[in-house]
Amino acid sequence: MHSSGKIIPVIFSAFLLFSGCTKEKNVSYGVNDKVVYEDKSLKTKRKSDAEYISILYTNLYQVPISPTRLYKTQNVVYSIGDRNVANEMVLSNYFNTSTLKIPKDSEMRADVAAFVEKCYKRFFLRYPSEGEKTFFINYINSNPNVSVEMVYTAFSVSDEYQYY
Amino acid sequence: MVTAGTVAAPYILPTGRMFARTNAPKAEYVVMVMFAGGVRQQESVLQRYLDDSQEVTGAAGNIMPNLFTGIAPDRKIVYGTDPGGGATRGSEPIPRILSQSMEDTGTVFKEMSAISAGHYVGLNTLITGSLGTAQGLKTRPKYPTIFEYLRKHAGFAALDTWFIANGLGNSTPLLNSSKNADYGLQYGGNMFAAPYTFGGVGREILGNGKPYSRAELEPMYFMKNFLDQSFGLSVDQLETIKNTDEEKTKIKEFIRAVFQRQDQGLIPRPPVSDNGDAVTISYAAEVLRHFKPKFLTLNMSAVDGCHSNFTGYLRSLHRADHSVGWLWNYIQNNIPEMSGKTIMIIAPECGRNLNPNPILDENDWYAYDHSDANAMRVWSVMVGKNVPKMTVGSENNKVGKLTDIVPTIADIFGVYDEVKASPYLDPQSKSLFLRM
């Protein structure tokens, strides 16, 4: 009785030792490379004014807009019946400042195809279709007066940029 | 009745569709004033001043000399400007601007029915001609607006129709269009909430814009239009009214021009312009001068201070009359294209209560809210081309209701039958010209 009382804990401890220390299998998981961009057909939600303004500002200045400026801009945009007119005017004010972070015209001209692709990714978060790419490459190449500012304005005030 | 015998001539809509006006137009331009935040009959058209509000006997009189004909009160004058020198505040009435009151030259509907005792259903009533009592706040009108009717049925361009709002509160900036499936934003009117667009904040956000040349704008719009075609937004996804590229350019040029004219001190203002309504009306005058739109409506609301300050209400009412008189005068004398060709329609969106609330002001006068049957009593004034000198109805004889305003405007522009056929209009509404 007395000896069996010692043996049982020893056996139990040995069981725990061997079962608890089983070496864990070393399993590793990989991730296949996958480029994720938006599909324009899935963009059905319209950005609110605040979202549009703050995304646009961050996109162009690469810093977030201050809450005060966002509030003021929202009110002014809301005060104009044609929202596109309001957005275009806000944008033309942005383009009249020196702290904007946009490529130079010479950089655009140096590689128009890359510039177009970057524009689609920067504004629409997707790649251009072949038709879209061809249109812009041809248009920019055949119109030497077209500037980065003009292209950015077109993207910024486009319908697709209002949606996500 | 005035235009009997004229011929309704067909014309072509911008869409190319041949369109026959259903009646002969009465005027080329209409300015509608949504006046001005809840106005009691007693202090306005009935000219009872303090007699019917503060139990001050012998203090009746007309404090709206540009709209109505009548002798001013001669006791307890507080609604004017401050003469200074220790004299009673507001004791100097603002001199009448018009040589004759509108009542002396046009038509006054003395006693009409409002559809609601509240502002926003009232404004919706004026702008849609619908009963619209289920209208919610912070939403576009449930039913088509006069802008949409005129653009769809009279073929007006977006720049032909304007709403000048007095602020951004509640539903005000949304009154320029409904989202109705048969009409909607593609037919909406242009709008400025003038104190914001052209105030200090507007200047800060918009005032440093690049003045792009048309040659610069053309490629921008060309590329934008390509992108928009590619995205293919449907009409029911529109969230803003639509102007053509050319119209958008004109609006941007106008905004920049206003900022320049502000710098040069050229914005026209009523002689006494010490409240927000005067600012709103100044920019309405700017839009009229610049665009000569066929239809413009503006909203005033300073008299709504009556909820807590009766003296302030009297001052605002007197100034609203002054500002509207000034605008009518400005159109006649400074916009030759519109002079003699315009009809102005003025109507409050709702009235005010018969009995006061307990709030006392600086003169120990009681304030008034708007929720009872007295708040459903309103008037209307029409003046201008083809409007006869006439008084219609009386305190005990109601004629007309606020839903009549939209068909009246349609009547003026010669599209009465088309607009009256709308299933959204109050079926009992009709042109005020037919109620004379």
Side-chain angles (χ1 to χ4, degrees), chain A residues 40 46 72 76 79-83 88-89 92-93 95-96 120 132 135 139 149 157-159 163, chain B residues 191-193 197 204-206 208-210 212 219 221-222 224 226 228 230 237 239-240 243 248 252:
Chain A
K40 72 177 174 183
R46 191 177 184 276
K72 288 178 176 176
V76 172
S79 78
I80 298 175
D82 186 333
R83 208 60 62 88
E88 287 169 25
M89 287 212 72
S92 81
N93 275 260
F95 278 117
N96 218 9
Y120 271 85
E132 289 167 332
F135 166 82
Y139 190 71
E149 184 174 329
V157 298
S158 68
D159 289 341
Y163 282 78
Chain B
M191 186 278 293
F192 289 131
T197 316
E204 183 185 333
I205 302 299
L206 306 176
N208 190 39
K210 275 192 174 180
Y212 295 120
Y221 283 135
F222 187 77
K224 174 191 156 35
F226 169 79
D228 289 350
S230 174
Q237 284 179 291
E239 289 294 336
T240 180
N243 285 284
K248 284 195 290 188
K252 288 188 280 187

Side-chain angles (χ1 to χ4, degrees), chain B residues 77-99:
Chain B
I77 310 301
V78 298
Y79 53 83
T81 53
D82 300 337
T88 305
R89 200 171 154 241
S91 61
E92 200 161 276
I94 304 168
R96 189 173 75 190
I97 285 184
L98 301 176
S99 57

Side-chain angles (χ1 to χ4, degrees), chain B residues 176-411:
Chain B
N176 63 329
S177 181
S178 74
K179 291 186 79 175
N180 183 281
D182 296 333
Y183 293 85
L185 286 156
Q186 60 184 322
Y187 295 111
N190 272 297
M191 186 278 293
F192 289 131
Y196 282 86
T197 316
F198 303 115
V201 175
R203 275 188 81 99
E204 183 185 333
I205 302 299
L206 306 176
N208 190 39
K210 275 192 174 180
Y212 295 120
S213 67
R214 305 228 164 183
E216 288 171 307
L217 285 170
E218 196 177 316
M220 291 189 209
Y221 283 135
F222 187 77
M223 289 184 280
K224 174 191 156 35
N225 291 336
F226 169 79
L227 292 170
D228 289 350
Q229 278 174 8
S230 174
F231 191 58
L233 212 59
S234 60
V235 170
D236 62 337
Q237 284 179 291
L238 286 179
E239 289 294 336
T240 180
I241 70 144
K242 280 281 191 190
N243 285 284
T244 63
D245 294 345
E246 180 67 18
E247 287 169 332
K248 284 195 290 188
T249 302
K250 285 179 178 172
I251 295 169
K252 288 188 280 187
E253 287 171 350
F254 171 74
I255 294 171
R256 276 193 293 274
V258 168
F259 291 140
Q260 285 170 1
R261 282 169 61 80
Q262 284 177 345
D263 292 339
Q264 295 160 350
L266 294 176
I267 304 295
R269 288 189 187 282
V272 177
S273 47
D274 54 5
N275 71 3
D277 284 346
V279 172
T280 303
I281 223 157
S282 293
Y283 291 110
E286 275 291 274
V287 169
L288 289 169
R289 183 189 61 77
H290 188 92
F291 291 110
K292 286 99 187 165
K294 292 186 168 73
F295 175 69
L296 178 143
T297 186
L298 66 107
N299 180 31
M300 306 165 79
S301 69
V303 305
D304 198 31
C306 193
H307 284 292
S308 60
N309 184 341
F310 192 79
T311 302
Y313 158 77
L314 295 172
R315 289 182 182 143
S316 298
L317 198 54
H318 188 56
R319 280 157 179 72
D321 168 85
H322 170 71
S323 294
V324 171
W326 173 82
L327 183 63
W328 183 239
N329 198 50
Y330 184 84
I331 292 167
Q332 302 311 317
N333 295 313
N334 295 280
I335 312 177
E337 296 88 344
M338 296 178 70
S339 177
K341 299 174 186 167
T342 304
I343 290 176
M344 182 179 267
I345 304 173
I346 307 149
E349 77 272 26
C350 65
R352 277 190 182 270
N353 288 355
L354 185 63
N355 297 311
N357 67 33
I359 301 173
L360 291 170
D361 67 14
E362 66 198 75
N363 289 308
D364 281 342
W365 292 341
Y366 288 106
Y368 285 80
D369 302 317
H370 43 94
S371 57
D372 69 6
N374 197 66
M376 304 285 280
R377 300 172 61 196
V378 289
W379 45 265
S380 178
V381 171
M382 280 204 293
V383 66
K385 187 178 180 184
N386 282 324
V387 177
K389 175 180 162 20
M390 183 183 285
T391 297
V392 183
S394 64
E395 190 170 2
N396 298 314
N397 176 27
K398 277 191 177 185
V399 178
K401 48 189 191 169
L402 289 188
T403 47
D404 290 338
I405 301 289
V406 162
T408 302
I409 295 165
D411 190 10

